[in-house]
mmCIF file of all heavy atoms in Angstrom:
data_model
loop_
_atom_site.group_PDB
_atom_site.id
_atom_site.type_symbol
_atom_site.label_atom_id
_atom_site.label_comp_id
_atom_site.label_asym_id
_atom_site.label_seq_id
_atom_site.Cartn_x
_atom_site.Cartn_y
_atom_site.Cartn_z
ATOM 1 N N LEU A 25 0.825 -1.207 0.000
ATOM 2 C CA LEU A 25 0.000 0.000 0.000
ATOM 3 C C LEU A 25 0.864 1.264 0.000
ATOM 4 O O LEU A 25 0.571 2.215 -0.734
ATOM 5 C CB LEU A 25 -0.969 -0.013 1.186
ATOM 6 C CG LEU A 25 -2.103 1.015 1.152
ATOM 7 C CD1 LEU A 25 -2.923 0.880 -0.122
ATOM 8 C CD2 LEU A 25 -3.000 0.856 2.378
ATOM 9 N N PRO A 26 1.946 1.316 0.796
ATOM 10 C CA PRO A 26 2.851 2.469 0.688
ATOM 11 C C PRO A 26 3.461 2.630 -0.704
ATOM 12 O O PRO A 26 3.761 3.759 -1.111
ATOM 13 C CB PRO A 26 3.927 2.161 1.734
ATOM 14 C CG PRO A 26 3.228 1.330 2.761
ATOM 15 C CD PRO A 26 2.267 0.480 1.976
ATOM 16 N N LEU A 27 3.663 1.535 -1.439
ATOM 17 C CA LEU A 27 4.159 1.658 -2.810
ATOM 18 C C LEU A 27 3.177 2.462 -3.655
ATOM 19 O O LEU A 27 3.571 3.385 -4.386
ATOM 20 C CB LEU A 27 4.356 0.262 -3.420
ATOM 21 C CG LEU A 27 4.590 0.221 -4.935
ATOM 22 C CD1 LEU A 27 5.896 0.908 -5.291
ATOM 23 C CD2 LEU A 27 4.584 -1.225 -5.447
ATOM 24 N N SER A 28 1.892 2.144 -3.540
ATOM 25 C CA SER A 28 0.876 2.892 -4.284
ATOM 26 C C SER A 28 0.844 4.351 -3.842
ATOM 27 O O SER A 28 0.824 5.266 -4.669
ATOM 28 C CB SER A 28 -0.499 2.248 -4.068
ATOM 29 O OG SER A 28 -1.518 3.020 -4.659
ATOM 30 N N PHE A 29 0.849 4.575 -2.538
ATOM 31 C CA PHE A 29 0.787 5.948 -2.017
ATOM 32 C C PHE A 29 2.014 6.761 -2.436
ATOM 33 O O PHE A 29 1.915 7.971 -2.679
ATOM 34 C CB PHE A 29 0.663 5.931 -0.498
ATOM 35 C CG PHE A 29 -0.707 5.536 0.008
ATOM 36 C CD1 PHE A 29 -1.685 5.078 -0.853
ATOM 37 C CD2 PHE A 29 -1.027 5.627 1.357
ATOM 38 C CE1 PHE A 29 -2.946 4.709 -0.400
ATOM 39 C CE2 PHE A 29 -2.283 5.267 1.833
ATOM 40 C CZ PHE A 29 -3.240 4.804 0.956
ATOM 41 N N ALA A 30 3.178 6.107 -2.499
ATOM 42 C CA ALA A 30 4.401 6.816 -2.897
ATOM 43 C C ALA A 30 4.295 7.312 -4.336
ATOM 44 O O ALA A 30 4.727 8.430 -4.659
ATOM 45 C CB ALA A 30 5.612 5.905 -2.738
ATOM 46 N N THR A 31 3.705 6.497 -5.211
ATOM 47 C CA THR A 31 3.543 6.942 -6.596
ATOM 48 C C THR A 31 2.497 8.053 -6.690
ATOM 49 O O THR A 31 2.625 8.954 -7.520
ATOM 50 C CB THR A 31 3.125 5.767 -7.509
ATOM 51 O OG1 THR A 31 1.864 5.248 -7.092
ATOM 52 C CG2 THR A 31 4.158 4.662 -7.476
ATOM 53 N N VAL A 32 1.482 7.996 -5.844
ATOM 54 C CA VAL A 32 0.467 9.055 -5.832
ATOM 55 C C VAL A 32 1.097 10.386 -5.417
ATOM 56 O O VAL A 32 0.856 11.430 -6.040
ATOM 57 C CB VAL A 32 -0.686 8.684 -4.873
ATOM 58 C CG1 VAL A 32 -1.604 9.878 -4.643
ATOM 59 C CG2 VAL A 32 -1.489 7.520 -5.444
ATOM 60 N N LEU A 33 1.912 10.364 -4.370
ATOM 61 C CA LEU A 33 2.573 11.589 -3.916
ATOM 62 C C LEU A 33 3.543 12.108 -4.969
ATOM 63 O O LEU A 33 3.635 13.318 -5.212
ATOM 64 C CB LEU A 33 3.318 11.323 -2.604
ATOM 65 C CG LEU A 33 2.455 11.045 -1.368
ATOM 66 C CD1 LEU A 33 3.332 10.629 -0.197
ATOM 67 C CD2 LEU A 33 1.625 12.271 -0.994
ATOM 68 N N GLY A 34 4.276 11.199 -5.596
ATOM 69 C CA GLY A 34 5.223 11.614 -6.623
ATOM 70 C C GLY A 34 4.544 12.164 -7.862
ATOM 71 O O GLY A 34 5.125 12.973 -8.592
ATOM 72 N N GLY A 35 3.309 11.746 -8.107
ATOM 73 C CA GLY A 35 2.594 12.199 -9.295
ATOM 74 C C GLY A 35 2.250 13.668 -9.298
ATOM 75 O O GLY A 35 1.887 14.218 -10.343
ATOM 76 N N THR A 36 2.362 14.334 -8.146
ATOM 77 C CA THR A 36 2.065 15.773 -8.087
ATOM 78 C C THR A 36 3.341 16.621 -8.063
ATOM 79 O O THR A 36 3.291 17.808 -7.752
ATOM 80 C CB THR A 36 1.218 16.099 -6.843
ATOM 81 O OG1 THR A 36 1.877 15.602 -5.674
ATOM 82 C CG2 THR A 36 -0.154 15.468 -6.942
ATOM 83 N N LEU A 37 4.462 16.001 -8.409
ATOM 84 C CA LEU A 37 5.719 16.754 -8.437
ATOM 85 C C LEU A 37 5.934 17.483 -9.756
ATOM 86 O O LEU A 37 6.729 18.424 -9.816
ATOM 87 C CB LEU A 37 6.904 15.809 -8.176
ATOM 88 C CG LEU A 37 7.053 15.305 -6.737
ATOM 89 C CD1 LEU A 37 8.149 14.250 -6.653
ATOM 90 C CD2 LEU A 37 7.366 16.456 -5.786
ATOM 91 N N SER A 38 5.274 17.046 -10.808
ATOM 92 C CA SER A 38 5.404 17.730 -12.098
ATOM 93 C C SER A 38 4.142 17.508 -12.920
ATOM 94 O O SER A 38 3.303 16.662 -12.592
ATOM 95 C CB SER A 38 6.631 17.224 -12.870
ATOM 96 O OG SER A 38 6.326 16.033 -13.568
ATOM 97 N N LEU A 39 4.049 18.233 -14.016
ATOM 98 C CA LEU A 39 2.877 18.133 -14.889
ATOM 99 C C LEU A 39 2.758 16.742 -15.497
ATOM 100 O O LEU A 39 1.655 16.255 -15.755
ATOM 101 C CB LEU A 39 2.979 19.184 -16.001
ATOM 102 C CG LEU A 39 1.840 19.245 -17.016
ATOM 103 C CD1 LEU A 39 0.530 19.611 -16.334
ATOM 104 C CD2 LEU A 39 2.166 20.235 -18.128
ATOM 105 N N LEU A 40 3.896 16.069 -15.718
ATOM 106 C CA LEU A 40 3.896 14.761 -16.363
ATOM 107 C C LEU A 40 3.591 13.620 -15.404
ATOM 108 O O LEU A 40 3.518 12.467 -15.819
ATOM 109 C CB LEU A 40 5.258 14.499 -17.030
ATOM 110 C CG LEU A 40 5.686 15.468 -18.135
ATOM 111 C CD1 LEU A 40 7.042 15.067 -18.687
ATOM 112 C CD2 LEU A 40 4.648 15.504 -19.251
ATOM 113 N N GLY A 41 3.410 13.907 -14.129
ATOM 114 C CA GLY A 41 3.261 12.859 -13.133
ATOM 115 C C GLY A 41 1.954 12.106 -13.195
ATOM 116 O O GLY A 41 1.853 11.000 -12.667
ATOM 117 N N SER A 42 0.955 12.663 -13.843
ATOM 118 C CA SER A 42 -0.358 12.013 -13.858
ATOM 119 C C SER A 42 -1.167 12.510 -15.050
ATOM 120 O O SER A 42 -1.040 13.671 -15.463
ATOM 121 C CB SER A 42 -1.109 12.314 -12.551
ATOM 122 O OG SER A 42 -2.460 11.950 -12.638
ATOM 123 N N SER A 43 -1.994 11.637 -15.582
ATOM 124 C CA SER A 43 -2.891 12.044 -16.667
ATOM 125 C C SER A 43 -3.869 13.110 -16.189
ATOM 126 O O SER A 43 -4.305 13.966 -16.968
ATOM 127 C CB SER A 43 -3.651 10.829 -17.198
ATOM 128 O OG SER A 43 -4.395 10.205 -16.160
ATOM 129 N N VAL A 44 -4.202 13.071 -14.903
ATOM 130 C CA VAL A 44 -5.119 14.068 -14.340
ATOM 131 C C VAL A 44 -4.481 15.458 -14.364
ATOM 132 O O VAL A 44 -5.161 16.462 -14.599
ATOM 133 C CB VAL A 44 -5.516 13.673 -12.900
ATOM 134 C CG1 VAL A 44 -6.310 14.778 -12.235
ATOM 135 C CG2 VAL A 44 -6.336 12.395 -12.920
ATOM 136 N N ASN A 45 -3.171 15.533 -14.141
ATOM 137 C CA ASN A 45 -2.472 16.820 -14.217
ATOM 138 C C ASN A 45 -2.616 17.427 -15.610
ATOM 139 O O ASN A 45 -2.877 18.628 -15.765
ATOM 140 C CB ASN A 45 -0.983 16.638 -13.900
ATOM 141 C CG ASN A 45 -0.733 16.135 -12.503
ATOM 142 O OD1 ASN A 45 -1.645 16.055 -11.680
ATOM 143 N ND2 ASN A 45 0.497 15.775 -12.215
ATOM 144 N N LEU A 46 -2.424 16.591 -16.626
ATOM 145 C CA LEU A 46 -2.526 17.074 -18.000
ATOM 146 C C LEU A 46 -3.955 17.490 -18.330
ATOM 147 O O LEU A 46 -4.174 18.502 -19.015
ATOM 148 C CB LEU A 46 -2.056 15.975 -18.962
ATOM 149 C CG LEU A 46 -0.562 15.651 -18.899
ATOM 150 C CD1 LEU A 46 -0.269 14.347 -19.639
ATOM 151 C CD2 LEU A 46 0.255 16.791 -19.496
ATOM 152 N N LEU A 47 -4.926 16.738 -17.851
ATOM 153 C CA LEU A 47 -6.326 17.109 -18.074
ATOM 154 C C LEU A 47 -6.652 18.430 -17.391
ATOM 155 O O LEU A 47 -7.315 19.296 -17.971
ATOM 156 C CB LEU A 47 -7.252 16.007 -17.547
ATOM 157 C CG LEU A 47 -8.753 16.311 -17.616
ATOM 158 C CD1 LEU A 47 -9.210 16.477 -19.058
ATOM 159 C CD2 LEU A 47 -9.563 15.211 -16.930
ATOM 160 N N ALA A 48 -6.187 18.599 -16.153
ATOM 161 C CA ALA A 48 -6.436 19.846 -15.425
ATOM 162 C C ALA A 48 -5.825 21.036 -16.151
ATOM 163 O O ALA A 48 -6.430 22.113 -16.233
ATOM 164 C CB ALA A 48 -5.870 19.737 -14.008
ATOM 165 N N SER A 49 -4.626 20.852 -16.694
ATOM 166 C CA SER A 49 -3.980 21.918 -17.458
ATOM 167 C C SER A 49 -4.789 22.277 -18.691
ATOM 168 O O SER A 49 -4.974 23.460 -19.019
ATOM 169 C CB SER A 49 -2.569 21.477 -17.853
ATOM 170 O OG SER A 49 -1.948 22.441 -18.667
ATOM 171 N N GLU A 50 -5.293 21.261 -19.372
ATOM 172 C CA GLU A 50 -6.087 21.495 -20.577
ATOM 173 C C GLU A 50 -7.389 22.226 -20.245
ATOM 174 O O GLU A 50 -7.767 23.180 -20.934
ATOM 175 C CB GLU A 50 -6.388 20.149 -21.240
ATOM 176 C CG GLU A 50 -7.226 20.233 -22.500
ATOM 177 C CD GLU A 50 -6.477 20.889 -23.646
ATOM 178 O OE1 GLU A 50 -5.227 20.920 -23.597
ATOM 179 O OE2 GLU A 50 -7.140 21.377 -24.577
ATOM 180 N N VAL A 51 -8.077 21.793 -19.200
ATOM 181 C CA VAL A 51 -9.330 22.441 -18.806
ATOM 182 C C VAL A 51 -9.076 23.883 -18.381
ATOM 183 O O VAL A 51 -9.818 24.806 -18.758
ATOM 184 C CB VAL A 51 -9.998 21.651 -17.663
ATOM 185 C CG1 VAL A 51 -11.202 22.415 -17.108
ATOM 186 C CG2 VAL A 51 -10.448 20.278 -18.155
ATOM 187 N N SER A 52 -8.030 24.096 -17.597
ATOM 188 C CA SER A 52 -7.686 25.444 -17.149
ATOM 189 C C SER A 52 -7.402 26.358 -18.337
ATOM 190 O O SER A 52 -7.820 27.523 -18.361
ATOM 191 C CB SER A 52 -6.468 25.387 -16.227
ATOM 192 O OG SER A 52 -6.055 26.679 -15.850
ATOM 193 N N SER A 53 -6.706 25.835 -19.331
ATOM 194 C CA SER A 53 -6.398 26.631 -20.522
ATOM 195 C C SER A 53 -7.668 26.994 -21.289
ATOM 196 O O SER A 53 -7.843 28.140 -21.725
ATOM 197 C CB SER A 53 -5.438 25.843 -21.416
ATOM 198 O OG SER A 53 -5.182 26.529 -22.615
ATOM 199 N N LYS A 54 -8.571 26.022 -21.449
ATOM 200 C CA LYS A 54 -9.810 26.279 -22.184
ATOM 201 C C LYS A 54 -10.692 27.303 -21.486
ATOM 202 O O LYS A 54 -11.422 28.066 -22.133
ATOM 203 C CB LYS A 54 -10.584 24.970 -22.360
ATOM 204 C CG LYS A 54 -10.023 24.061 -23.434
ATOM 205 C CD LYS A 54 -10.912 22.851 -23.629
ATOM 206 C CE LYS A 54 -10.386 21.976 -24.760
ATOM 207 N NZ LYS A 54 -11.233 20.779 -24.967
ATOM 208 N N LEU A 55 -10.636 27.322 -20.155
ATOM 209 C CA LEU A 55 -11.470 28.251 -19.395
ATOM 210 C C LEU A 55 -10.843 29.642 -19.276
ATOM 211 O O LEU A 55 -11.426 30.530 -18.658
ATOM 212 C CB LEU A 55 -11.738 27.683 -17.995
ATOM 213 C CG LEU A 55 -12.523 26.362 -17.950
ATOM 214 C CD1 LEU A 55 -12.678 25.885 -16.510
ATOM 215 C CD2 LEU A 55 -13.896 26.527 -18.600
ATOM 216 N N GLY A 56 -9.651 29.801 -19.846
ATOM 217 C CA GLY A 56 -9.012 31.114 -19.853
ATOM 218 C C GLY A 56 -8.110 31.390 -18.665
ATOM 219 O O GLY A 56 -7.640 32.526 -18.501
ATOM 220 N N TYR A 57 -7.839 30.381 -17.856
ATOM 221 C CA TYR A 57 -6.971 30.586 -16.689
ATOM 222 C C TYR A 57 -5.509 30.268 -16.978
ATOM 223 O O TYR A 57 -4.647 30.475 -16.136
ATOM 224 C CB TYR A 57 -7.445 29.722 -15.512
ATOM 225 C CG TYR A 57 -8.892 29.957 -15.133
ATOM 226 C CD1 TYR A 57 -9.796 28.903 -15.069
ATOM 227 C CD2 TYR A 57 -9.360 31.244 -14.856
ATOM 228 C CE1 TYR A 57 -11.124 29.108 -14.738
ATOM 229 C CE2 TYR A 57 -10.682 31.463 -14.528
ATOM 230 C CZ TYR A 57 -11.565 30.395 -14.475
ATOM 231 O OH TYR A 57 -12.873 30.607 -14.151
ATOM 232 N N GLY A 58 -5.248 29.726 -18.153
ATOM 233 C CA GLY A 58 -3.884 29.421 -18.563
ATOM 234 C C GLY A 58 -3.505 27.977 -18.316
ATOM 235 O O GLY A 58 -3.958 27.362 -17.353
ATOM 236 N N ALA A 59 -2.661 27.443 -19.218
ATOM 237 C CA ALA A 59 -2.151 26.082 -19.048
ATOM 238 C C ALA A 59 -1.039 26.079 -18.000
ATOM 239 O O ALA A 59 -0.457 27.119 -17.677
ATOM 240 C CB ALA A 59 -1.636 25.551 -20.386
ATOM 241 N N PHE A 60 -0.728 24.893 -17.476
ATOM 242 C CA PHE A 60 0.314 24.759 -16.460
ATOM 243 C C PHE A 60 1.658 24.518 -17.140
ATOM 244 O O PHE A 60 1.751 23.798 -18.137
ATOM 245 C CB PHE A 60 0.039 23.582 -15.515
ATOM 246 C CG PHE A 60 -1.311 23.601 -14.865
ATOM 247 C CD1 PHE A 60 -1.891 22.429 -14.411
ATOM 248 C CD2 PHE A 60 -2.018 24.787 -14.686
ATOM 249 C CE1 PHE A 60 -3.133 22.416 -13.810
ATOM 250 C CE2 PHE A 60 -3.267 24.812 -14.094
ATOM 251 C CZ PHE A 60 -3.832 23.625 -13.664
ATOM 252 N N GLY A 61 2.712 25.092 -16.567
ATOM 253 C CA GLY A 61 4.057 24.769 -17.000
ATOM 254 C C GLY A 61 4.466 23.408 -16.453
ATOM 255 O O GLY A 61 3.805 22.839 -15.577
ATOM 256 N N LEU A 62 5.574 22.894 -16.955
ATOM 257 C CA LEU A 62 6.040 21.569 -16.554
ATOM 258 C C LEU A 62 6.259 21.476 -15.049
ATOM 259 O O LEU A 62 5.941 20.458 -14.421
ATOM 260 C CB LEU A 62 7.330 21.227 -17.303
ATOM 261 C CG LEU A 62 7.946 19.851 -17.037
ATOM 262 C CD1 LEU A 62 6.949 18.735 -17.334
ATOM 263 C CD2 LEU A 62 9.216 19.664 -17.874
ATOM 264 N N PHE A 63 6.779 22.552 -14.457
ATOM 265 C CA PHE A 63 7.050 22.552 -13.008
ATOM 266 C C PHE A 63 6.250 23.647 -12.294
ATOM 267 O O PHE A 63 6.689 24.192 -11.285
ATOM 268 C CB PHE A 63 8.552 22.744 -12.749
ATOM 269 C CG PHE A 63 9.408 21.637 -13.313
ATOM 270 C CD1 PHE A 63 10.184 21.855 -14.450
ATOM 271 C CD2 PHE A 63 9.417 20.386 -12.727
ATOM 272 C CE1 PHE A 63 10.971 20.837 -14.970
ATOM 273 C CE2 PHE A 63 10.200 19.361 -13.247
ATOM 274 C CZ PHE A 63 10.970 19.591 -14.373
ATOM 275 N N ALA A 64 5.050 23.947 -12.824
ATOM 276 C CA ALA A 64 4.254 25.054 -12.291
ATOM 277 C C ALA A 64 3.881 24.852 -10.827
ATOM 278 O O ALA A 64 3.914 25.807 -10.027
ATOM 279 C CB ALA A 64 2.992 25.242 -13.128
ATOM 280 N N PHE A 65 3.519 23.639 -10.431
ATOM 281 C CA PHE A 65 3.102 23.395 -9.042
ATOM 282 C C PHE A 65 4.105 22.532 -8.285
ATOM 283 O O PHE A 65 3.784 21.988 -7.234
ATOM 284 C CB PHE A 65 1.712 22.744 -9.008
ATOM 285 C CG PHE A 65 1.531 21.593 -9.951
ATOM 286 C CD1 PHE A 65 1.981 20.320 -9.645
ATOM 287 C CD2 PHE A 65 0.911 21.793 -11.183
ATOM 288 C CE1 PHE A 65 1.820 19.269 -10.523
ATOM 289 C CE2 PHE A 65 0.735 20.742 -12.071
ATOM 290 C CZ PHE A 65 1.190 19.472 -11.741
ATOM 291 N N THR A 66 5.326 22.418 -8.815
ATOM 292 C CA THR A 66 6.353 21.593 -8.164
ATOM 293 C C THR A 66 6.680 22.050 -6.745
ATOM 294 O O THR A 66 6.846 21.195 -5.850
ATOM 295 C CB THR A 66 7.621 21.548 -9.026
ATOM 296 O OG1 THR A 66 7.295 20.950 -10.299
ATOM 297 C CG2 THR A 66 8.711 20.718 -8.359
ATOM 298 N N PRO A 67 6.806 23.365 -6.470
ATOM 299 C CA PRO A 67 7.089 23.769 -5.074
ATOM 300 C C PRO A 67 6.038 23.257 -4.081
ATOM 301 O O PRO A 67 6.382 22.838 -2.971
ATOM 302 C CB PRO A 67 7.089 25.298 -5.146
ATOM 303 C CG PRO A 67 7.468 25.606 -6.560
ATOM 304 C CD PRO A 67 6.825 24.528 -7.374
ATOM 305 N N ILE A 68 4.782 23.298 -4.485
ATOM 306 C CA ILE A 68 3.716 22.755 -3.627
ATOM 307 C C ILE A 68 3.848 21.233 -3.553
ATOM 308 O O ILE A 68 3.728 20.635 -2.481
ATOM 309 C CB ILE A 68 2.334 23.150 -4.166
ATOM 310 C CG1 ILE A 68 2.205 24.673 -4.250
ATOM 311 C CG2 ILE A 68 1.219 22.567 -3.296
ATOM 312 C CD1 ILE A 68 0.961 25.137 -4.991
ATOM 313 N N GLY A 69 4.111 20.608 -4.697
ATOM 314 C CA GLY A 69 4.240 19.154 -4.750
ATOM 315 C C GLY A 69 5.374 18.627 -3.892
ATOM 316 O O GLY A 69 5.258 17.557 -3.277
ATOM 317 N N ILE A 70 6.486 19.366 -3.832
ATOM 318 C CA ILE A 70 7.620 18.924 -3.003
ATOM 319 C C ILE A 70 7.225 18.907 -1.530
ATOM 320 O O ILE A 70 7.540 17.958 -0.794
ATOM 321 C CB ILE A 70 8.845 19.843 -3.234
ATOM 322 C CG1 ILE A 70 9.410 19.605 -4.645
ATOM 323 C CG2 ILE A 70 9.918 19.583 -2.183
ATOM 324 C CD1 ILE A 70 10.537 20.540 -5.023
ATOM 325 N N GLY A 71 6.530 19.940 -1.095
ATOM 326 C CA GLY A 71 6.070 19.972 0.299
ATOM 327 C C GLY A 71 5.111 18.826 0.602
ATOM 328 O O GLY A 71 5.210 18.177 1.654
#
């Protein structure tokens, strides 16, 4: 179970970490809020 959780936590370290990250970036861009950069939320993800 920690193996699964470790990959979940790591998936929020960059835009490429999860398909959901890419979908969120696409939706945000379409709504006019802008797409995410590759490391846009990495500082939050590291914490």
Side-chain angles (χ1 to χ4, degrees):
L25 193 56
L27 168 65
S28 174
F29 285 8
T31 62
V32 169
L33 291 173
T36 54
L37 287 173
S38 83
L39 180 63
L40 299 180
S42 168
S43 58
V44 172
N45 298 351
L46 292 167
L47 175 63
S49 176
E50 179 68 21
V51 172
S52 176
S53 176
K54 283 185 177 180
L55 297 178
Y57 304 126
F60 306 156
L62 182 57
F63 298 106
F65 47 81
T66 299
I68 302 170
I70 290 175

